[in-house]
Amino acid sequence: MTKKDYYETLGVSKDASKDEIKRAYKKLAKKYHPDLNKEPDAAEKFKEINEAAAVLGDDQKRQQYDQFGTADFSGMGGGGFDFSDFANFGFDFGDIFDSFFGGSFGGRRRGPRPVHGDNLRFDMEITLEEAATGTKKTVIIPRHETCAKCKGLGGTDVKKCPECKGEGVLRQTQRTPFGIFSTTRTCRRCNGEGEVVKDTCEHCDGIGKVKKDRKLEIEIPAGVEEGTRLRVAGEGEAGERGGPSGDLYVLIHIKEHDVFKRRGNDLYLEVPITFSEAALGTTIEVPTLEGKAKLKIPSGTQPGTVFRMKGKGIPDVHGYGTGSQNVMVNVSVPEKLSKKQKELLKEFDKESKKKRKGLFGF
């Protein structure tokens, strides 16, 4: 008979500590448990790793196995094993199944657990002015709320499920040549809830929640940017079995403005001026988000010059100051000129050429 290599079965070295054996077993037990792995050889593999863990997890049996290549399984049905072998292994085998299936093992009660409600998302479009000053918007949010008639229970006369005795799972245990083999499955009678209702709630059809339109006032802080996500706590879908409601997330979209372009907290726009205004200097009115403001244009201003109007931009959403408004002036060239304008420009052109000749000598 070929000797079984328990160390190879668990994937550990011969000098592995008990903790290392424990970790290896947990990993493999989860991988090959028949309730999780539907491969044809999963059950056989699961038996092998349990047998290996039962031997290597017991100091006396491990010593005998290392010395003689076998272990004395007295009272175990001719080489079999039982979960009682894990008593000296240093951990609770039932805890492993609890972590795998979220259910019960060895008499632990699963029972109904509170479930957190789902989060909701609402996309909101606002203007650049609203983003700069902040605003309040009233919205209608369709969502599921806890049924007021049955208080989320789905009906009246709620009792412990007679099928699973309130555990939410059904266990089947059988003895095999390798020991006791246990499986768990969700109770179909109560769908894992552990409770059943006698009379189904007509208001919610037993669901425990009803669809309603929720009217909310959303406060938009000044300085929000495109893509800002605002969280409104507790305004999402209702939870189940006393679980908390989810949250509502409002995603902000800002409409494109006809005049301004936004970069961070700064605003940009272009303003046309005449040649004479650029040459002689002037004061012009420019639009801002708050209305009109005056901007001084010094004489000799060149096309493309950008003037910074401090504090006329967007306030920082966290309160760290306010951006600027940047005004770029462009000199507009008239397409048609009167006779007098032509004469004046010709005279101006002569003077300009004389000046250029004086500078370059030609």
Side-chain angles (χ1 to χ4, degrees):
M1 181 176 180
T2 305
K3 173 187 173 182
K4 295 181 179 180
D5 190 337
Y6 292 140
Y7 293 102
E8 183 179 352
T9 299
L10 295 181
V12 297
S13 63
K14 291 187 176 182
D15 58 351
S17 66
K18 187 172 290 188
D19 284 339
E20 290 175 324
I21 294 173
K22 174 182 174 180
R23 288 195 295 269
Y25 170 73
K26 283 187 176 182
K27 181 179 179 180
L28 292 172
K30 181 178 181 179
K31 180 178 180 181
Y32 290 104
H33 193 283
D35 282 354
L36 300 176
N37 191 324
K38 301 304 180 183
E39 295 295 327
D41 60 343
E44 187 63 30
K45 184 69 175 177
F46 183 70
K47 295 175 184 178
E48 292 177 3
I49 62 176
N50 276 301
E51 181 179 344
V55 173
L56 301 184
D58 184 281
D59 293 336
Q60 183 178 355
K61 293 178 181 179
R62 181 178 181 180
Q63 181 180 0
Q64 183 170 332
Y65 171 77
D66 290 341
Q67 185 174 359
F68 301 105
T70 185
D72 180 18
F73 302 102
S74 58
M76 290 297 172
F81 74 98
D82 200 314
F83 288 132
S84 60
D85 288 333
F86 291 90
N88 297 323
F89 197 43
F91 67 96
D92 187 347
F93 190 77
D95 288 340
I96 300 176
F97 280 83
D98 283 341
S99 64
F100 289 171
F101 310 115
S104 61
F105 181 82
R108 288 192 177 93
R109 184 182 187 278
R110 179 185 182 183
R113 300 176 180 177
V115 178
H116 194 285
D118 292 334
N119 296 327
L120 294 176
R121 166 177 163 171
F122 182 83
D123 289 73
M124 178 183 291
E125 189 175 56
I126 62 174
T127 65
L128 183 62
E129 288 83 358
E130 290 172 330
T133 61
T135 185
K136 290 183 179 180
K137 294 283 188 178
T138 300
V139 299
I140 304 296
I141 305 295
R143 66 178 189 178
H144 287 94
E145 298 184 0
T146 300
C147 177
K149 188 172 183 179
C150 67
K151 298 181 180 179
L153 298 177
T156 58
D157 195 12
V158 181
K159 294 183 178 180
K160 183 186 295 185
C161 176
E163 189 77 16
C164 64
K165 304 300 187 292
E167 293 184 11
V169 293
L170 296 174
R171 297 186 305 278
Q172 183 179 11
T173 303
Q174 59 183 358
R175 184 177 293 274
T176 71
F178 294 97
I180 298 176
F181 185 69
S182 180
T183 60
T184 61
R185 62 181 176 85
T186 301
C187 177
R188 295 181 179 179
R189 175 76 179 274
C190 65
N191 293 321
E193 300 293 335
E195 297 176 340
V196 292
V197 295
K198 182 178 180 181
D199 298 317
T200 301
C201 177
E202 297 179 356
H203 190 59
C204 65
D205 294 327
I207 299 175
K209 294 186 288 186
V210 293
K211 192 72 173 287
K212 284 189 176 182
D213 289 337
R214 170 74 165 168
K215 186 177 182 180
L216 295 173
E217 187 175 67
I218 308 298
E219 185 170 349
I220 312 297
V224 293
E225 298 185 61
E226 172 70 27
T228 296
R229 193 175 68 160
L230 304 177
R231 174 175 172 263
V232 186
E235 294 296 347
E237 297 277 16
E240 297 179 8
R241 298 186 294 277
S245 297
D247 298 327
L248 171 66
Y249 288 91
V250 180
L251 191 64
I252 300 298
H253 302 284
I254 302 176
K255 295 179 183 179
E256 186 175 348
H257 202 275
D258 294 334
V259 176
F260 300 103
K261 299 294 183 183
R262 179 179 179 178
R263 298 177 192 169
N265 291 330
D266 291 336
L267 296 175
Y268 292 81
L269 75 156
E270 295 183 11
V271 175
I273 59 174
T274 64
F275 172 78
S276 59
E277 288 175 328
L280 301 175
T282 186
T283 298
I284 63 173
E285 282 190 340
V286 295
T288 71
L289 290 178
E290 300 173 347
K292 292 185 178 180
K294 292 184 178 181
L295 176 64
K296 185 177 180 180
I297 307 296
S299 60
T301 294
Q302 300 300 308
T305 300
V306 177
F307 295 95
R308 179 170 176 255
M309 303 176 70
K310 189 176 180 180
K312 294 295 184 181
I314 305 291
D316 185 85
V317 71
H318 301 294
Y320 301 125
T322 303
S324 301
Q325 177 169 302
N326 300 278
V327 182
M328 185 174 71
V329 294
N330 286 322
V331 178
S332 59
V333 178
E335 296 181 358
K336 294 182 179 181
L337 297 173
S338 65
K339 183 178 180 181
K340 185 175 182 179
Q341 286 175 326
K342 290 180 180 180
E343 292 176 353
L344 291 172
L345 282 175
K346 287 179 180 179
E347 185 65 28
F348 176 82
D349 187 52
K350 288 180 181 180
E351 294 295 325
S352 298
K353 289 180 178 179
K354 289 180 181 179
K355 185 176 181 180
R356 184 177 64 187
K357 185 176 181 180
L359 287 173
F360 297 102
F362 59 84

